[in-house]
Amino acid sequence: MLDKSPCLLELSPGVLIFATSMDALIMGVVALCALLAVLAYTSQSQTGAISFGLAAGLSAGAALYLSYGAPLLLAPAGASAIALLRQRRFAIIAAMLAGVGMVVGVFTGAGFWILDGLELTRAAYQAGISTRRPAGLFFWLNLGALTAMIGPMPLAGVAAWLQQHRWRPTHSPLGGIVAMTLVGVLAANLSGLSKGEVERIWLPFVPVLTLAAAPLAASRTVARTALGLQLAVAVGLQIVWRSPW
């Protein structure tokens, strides 16, 4: 099913937001960072691994200045970083940190301190409609919106993993990436800074969570069913849903 994952993503309901939201750009940068981090982890060449690590750090740094939620959105890349730390491949980790540091250094040198911007953004958020949105209610509404964006098959894959422990982060790179993404989703939800609008804000989580459906398609019939269900939900949402994005 991994070879069918691009089709699964293209037919997922989340594509309704891809072409209409600036968050799709953030999604692309975050996905690139995750890919580069995986390449750094899997590269057989030390020079290649360090180069990929540096590139992953640069893209992670760029993501920090596209969204203040980037530390959580970068959770998929964090799975590869954790795996590298467990293997004591510190040179690659150093390259990643150097890449992030370069981007932060450029912006800081230009006069923009990211923590000041974060504080001003938090204050503006608290002064807006968020204070009138109950956190408990939106905890579940957020998960519902994310579920709609990824479609039924990835959700079934996540449920199978949680129930049957089919993926173990220590043994499956794919399981580790999806697990870290779920941690990012939970942290974002518990932060209280995501009350609604997550169909676009959490868009960077969608491509990775779509991969959760991969182990379910052991046969061509199941794969076709998965793609059909994804398409049906996407078309259904297109018919009944009107989004301001």
Side-chain angles (χ1 to χ4, degrees), residues 15-232:
V15 299
L16 301 177
I17 307 296
F18 289 179
T20 60
S21 173
M22 179 64 181
D23 295 88
L25 172 62
I26 302 171
M27 180 191 71
V29 175
V30 169
L32 175 62
C33 180
L35 172 62
L36 291 168
V38 170
L39 290 174
Y41 175 72
T42 58
S43 177
Q44 300 299 313
S45 165
Q46 177 72 355
T47 301
I50 291 176
S51 298
F52 283 127
L54 178 62
L58 289 170
S59 57
L64 290 175
Y65 290 89
L66 289 173
S67 171
Y68 287 117
L72 298 179
L73 300 177
L74 289 167
S80 296
I82 291 174
L84 288 167
L85 281 173
R86 295 186 64 180
Q87 293 184 356
R88 300 181 180 274
R89 300 170 71 181
F90 299 125
I92 305 174
I93 295 296
M96 290 180 172
L97 294 176
V100 175
M102 289 178 188
V103 178
V104 173
V106 168
F107 277 90
T108 303
F112 180 76
W113 179 231
I114 191 170
L115 295 182
D116 289 342
L118 176 61
E119 178 57 28
L120 289 173
T121 301
R122 187 197 64 79
Y125 181 81
Q126 296 296 342
I129 194 174
S130 66
T131 56
R132 300 192 294 273
R133 291 177 173 176
L137 173 61
F138 275 89
F139 179 93
W140 298 108
L141 290 178
N142 289 345
L143 295 179
L146 179 63
T147 299
M149 287 299 97
I150 64 175
M153 293 308 294
L155 182 65
V158 171
W161 170 54
L162 292 175
Q163 182 177 3
Q164 303 172 16
H165 303 284
R166 293 181 60 177
W167 296 342
R168 297 181 184 276
T170 56
H171 296 98
S172 168
L174 178 59
I177 291 172
V178 174
M180 282 298 296
T181 304
L182 291 175
V183 170
V185 169
L186 181 61
N189 218 5
L190 292 175
S191 71
L193 299 176
S194 298
K195 296 179 182 177
E197 305 179 29
V198 297
E199 65 272 14
R200 63 174 184 84
I201 298 172
W202 288 0
L203 204 58
F205 291 135
V206 172
V208 180
L209 292 178
T210 300
L211 296 176
L216 295 179
S219 68
R220 180 173 297 181
T221 300
V222 177
R224 288 177 175 175
T225 301
L227 294 176
L229 285 173
Q230 292 294 100
L231 178 60

